[in-house]
């Protein structure tokens, strides 16, 4: 097994060593009982049937039934405990993987991509889980059967034991050849499953765009190609696996014929009894079947190893946003946010996205960020809740570098309304309580009223209990934005971060919402990123970004006379009379 598979299995099987010991013990008991049955059968044939001793047949037959019943019970219990162990093992890996992904910053999320992370937490975990399950059911009993079967077969007839050796060697060589060819195929298969998930996810998420541009045939062709590529690899894997079955059965049948051929000669020479030959054939079948099952298990190892390697890549990924070793757990200031010579550069980029950013945001003050597309507005906003960490300079809260603040404390002080509002499956109320689970209905309605969402929620048949589908797709874009704003208002944070959160609202609703927000957020730090000048013209301070740097800082009136970039933005959106009004 590859190293990642060893690490993964041993790490997450540790809590279940006791169960594993029980499974191995039960498999041992079942295997010993299975090895005892051919010997008892041989005695019945040679001492009972051959001599016509009915009493002997009944007495030894009863022992055989008891041994067979014990074997069945042990095997059932082994499967039961093995299934519990494997399912618990898979549950633990999925939980740990999900927790690890939750700790990722945006940089790590972008590195892996959502489709690949979904595949790793579902299909990849399932493959490793299946290997553990089949190991508990089959693999632990296979070596016991092989070793015990060889010993019992040699005791039965030393002269025929060379047939077992030859058959086992042939099966081992066959398995080694097939496994060598399967490893690269399984690596390719998992990547192509990622591609299928990615194409399907893009199609479902962008279904409106696809239909708007009549791209259904193109998307169907994309998915068809990804699906065909996966099928192509799957067919190659299937052919290799199917090649093994006839070859194994050929070796099995050829070995049986050889035993009967040479065994018949020993019986003729009075060197062996009929019952002994029957027992030897049974042992041969047990040995070769256990080798075949072990071989089939070994074939599962390359795919599980590939999946384990992909899972361990996630576990081994170092976060770029790291919690402090001795974090600050209490802030006593007034939530003042200060940027000092801040710069940020994406991994592998030649130039920083933003650089030399310095400004202060104080409670009771609204700070607006505006600039052309690609000027670094969203990147700047993402530094406040530590979705990214600044590569140079510091962002501080109450005089403490946010990298030294306990993450839960930092996030509890911030209410983020992202550029793309996202609602979770549930109800209107469950989404609004996302930041404050104990919020009352009165608090929810108050937040909805400020966010200009009360009217349309009241018109919903179930009101606050109205179901919301995944992503909020059953409400409009403007309604989704207002519900996202209301969600932040319910939390009542000290710092509000609006990342272009008014873009889907009409001008009248935008104006009403900002007027209502003014009184609600008068004691908080408010940071607004916007594209429309009308949204931020009333801000206490407007910072103009261009090419990652600050080119203007002041009020609307001050920037109209001092900042050429701001003047260009205003002129592109407003008439001269509107700008001065």
């Amino acid at each position: 097994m590859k190293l990642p598979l060893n690490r993964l299995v041993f790490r997450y099987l540790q809590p279940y060593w006791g169960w594993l010991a029980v499974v191995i013990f039960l498999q041992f008991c079942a295997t010993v009982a299975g090895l005892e049955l051919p010997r008892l059968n041989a005695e019945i044939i040679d001492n009972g049937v051959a001599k016509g001793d009915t009493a002997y047949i009944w007495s030894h037959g009863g022992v055989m039934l008891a041994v067979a019943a014990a074997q069945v019970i042990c095997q059932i219990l082994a499967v039961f405990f093995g299934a519990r162990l494997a399912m618990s093992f898979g549950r633990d890996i999925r939980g740990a993987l999900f927790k690890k992904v939750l700790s990722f910053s945006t940089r790590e999320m972008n590195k892996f991509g959502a489709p690949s992370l979904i595949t790793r937490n579902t299909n990849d975990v399932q493959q490793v889980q299946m290997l553990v399950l089949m190991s508990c059911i089959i693999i632990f009993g296979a070596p016991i059967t092989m070793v015990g079967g060889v010993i019992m077969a040699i005791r039965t007839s030393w002269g025929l034991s060379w047939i077992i050796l030859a058959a086992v060697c042939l099966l081992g060589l066959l398995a080694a050849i097939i496994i060598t060819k399967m490893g690269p195929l399984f690596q390719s298969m998992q990547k192509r499953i990622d591609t299928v998930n990615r194409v399907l996810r893009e199609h479902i998420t962008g279904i409106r765009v696809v239909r708007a541009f009549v791209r259904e045939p193109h998307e169907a062709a994309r998915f068809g190609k990804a699906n065909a590529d996966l099928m192509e690899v799957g067919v190659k894997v299937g052919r290799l696996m199917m090649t093994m079955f006839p070859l194994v059965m050929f070796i099995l049948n050829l070995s049986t014929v050889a035993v009967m051929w040479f065994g018949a000669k020993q019986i003729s020479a009075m060197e062996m009894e009929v019952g002994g030959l029957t027992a030897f054939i049974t042992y041969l079948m047990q040995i070769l079947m256990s080798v075949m099952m072990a071989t089939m298990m070994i074939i599962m190892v390359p795919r599980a190893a590939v999946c384990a390697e992909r899972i361990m890549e996630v576990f081994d990924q170092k976060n770029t946003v790291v919690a402090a070793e001795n974090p600050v757990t209490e802030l006593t200031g007034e939530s003042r946010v200060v940027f000092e010579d801040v710069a940020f550069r994406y991994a592998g980029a030649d130039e920083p996205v933003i650089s030399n950013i310095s400004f202060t945001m104080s409670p009771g003050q609204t700070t607006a960020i505006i600039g052309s597309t690609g000027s670094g507005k969203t990147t700047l906003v993402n530094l406040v809740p530590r979705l990214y960490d600044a590569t140079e300079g510091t962002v501080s809260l109450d005089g403490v570098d946010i990298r030294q603040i306990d993450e839960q404390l930092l996030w509890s002080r911030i209410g983020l309304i992202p550029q793309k509002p996202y609602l979770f499956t549930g109800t209107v109320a469950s989404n609004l309580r996302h930041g404050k689970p104990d919020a009352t209905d009165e608090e929810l309605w108050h937040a909805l009223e400020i966010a200009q969402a009360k009217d349309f929620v009241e018109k919903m048949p179930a009101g606050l209990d109205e179901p919301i589908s995944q992503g909020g797709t059953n409400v409009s874009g403007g309604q989704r934005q207002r519900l996202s704003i209301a969600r932040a208002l319910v939390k009542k944070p000290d710092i509000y971060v609006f990342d272009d959160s008014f873009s889907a609202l009409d001008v009248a609703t935008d104006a009403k919402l900002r007027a209502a927000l003014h009184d609600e957020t008068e004691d908080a730090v408010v940071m607004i990123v916007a594209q429309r000048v009308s949204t931020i013209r009333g801000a206490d301070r407007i910072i103009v970004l261009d090419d990652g740097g600050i080119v203007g800082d002041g009020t609307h009136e001050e920037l109209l006379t001092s900042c050429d970039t701001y003047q260009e933005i205003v002129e592109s959106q407003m008439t001269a009379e509107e700008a001065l009004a």
Side-chain angles (χ1 to χ4, degrees), residues 13 16-26 81 85 132 136 140:
L13 269 184
Y16 307 105
W17 289 132
W19 286 17
L20 188 61
V22 171
V23 170
I24 294 174
F25 174 75
L26 290 170
F81 285 107
L85 185 153
V132 173
C136 292
F140 293 137

Side-chain angles (χ1 to χ4, degrees), residues 290-349:
S290 64
V291 172
M292 183 181 72
M293 296 306 295
T295 302
M296 297 306 300
M297 280 296 306
I298 293 172
I299 288 176
M300 296 177 65
V301 171
R303 185 172 190 182
V306 169
C307 294
E309 187 174 0
R310 286 159 50 88
I311 294 169
M312 292 307 298
E313 283 178 1
V314 179
F315 284 133
D316 293 339
Q317 175 64 45
K318 294 182 179 179
N319 294 355
T320 53
V321 176
V322 182
E325 293 183 4
N326 298 302
V328 176
T329 58
E330 185 177 356
L331 296 173
T332 57
E334 51 183 5
S335 299
R336 187 184 304 274
V337 180
V338 179
F339 285 72
E340 296 182 55
D341 297 323
V342 170
F344 179 80
R345 184 194 309 268
Y346 287 103

Side-chain angles (χ1 to χ4, degrees), residues 67-108:
V67 172
Q71 181 188 23
V72 170
I73 293 172
C74 289
Q75 195 66 52
I76 291 173
L77 291 175
V79 171
F80 173 79
F81 285 107
R84 287 291 301 270
L85 185 153
M87 298 306 111
S88 300
F89 169 80
R91 176 201 62 198
D92 292 349
I93 294 179
R94 280 190 292 269
L97 200 58
F98 183 76
K99 185 177 180 180
K100 178 66 177 181
V101 172
L102 285 180
S103 71
F104 281 168
S105 69
T106 307
R107 178 178 294 181
E108 285 80 52

Side-chain angles (χ1 to χ4, degrees), residues 501-548:
S501 307
F502 308 98
S503 58
L505 306 181
D506 60 84
V507 176
T509 303
D510 184 4
K512 291 179 183 178
L513 196 155
R514 284 186 287 107
L517 275 176
H518 184 270
D519 295 333
E520 186 72 14
T521 62
E522 59 182 357
D523 296 326
V525 174
V526 179
M527 185 179 189
I528 300 177
V529 172
Q531 298 284 356
R532 291 196 305 228
V533 174
S534 59
T535 300
I536 53 96
R537 61 183 297 174
D540 300 305
R541 183 182 188 182
I542 301 174
I543 294 175
V544 185
L545 293 182
D546 187 37
D547 198 21

Side-chain angles (χ1 to χ4, degrees), residues 142-151 153-154 160-177 179 244 247-256 258-259 280-296 298:
I144 302 174
T145 301
M146 283 188 284
V147 174
V150 168
I151 294 173
I154 291 174
L160 298 177
S161 58
W162 64 270
I163 299 175
I164 295 176
L165 178 62
V168 171
C169 289
L170 282 174
L171 285 174
L173 179 61
L174 176 64
I177 294 172
I179 290 170
M244 185 169 185
L247 291 176
V248 168
M249 293 308 298
F250 174 74
I251 294 172
L252 187 64
N253 292 330
L254 185 62
S255 302
T256 304
V259 168
F280 191 92
I281 292 174
T282 305
Y283 287 131
L284 175 67
M285 296 291 288
Q286 287 182 339
I287 293 167
L288 295 185
M289 288 301 294
S290 64
V291 172
M292 183 181 72
M293 296 306 295
T295 302
M296 297 306 300
I298 293 172

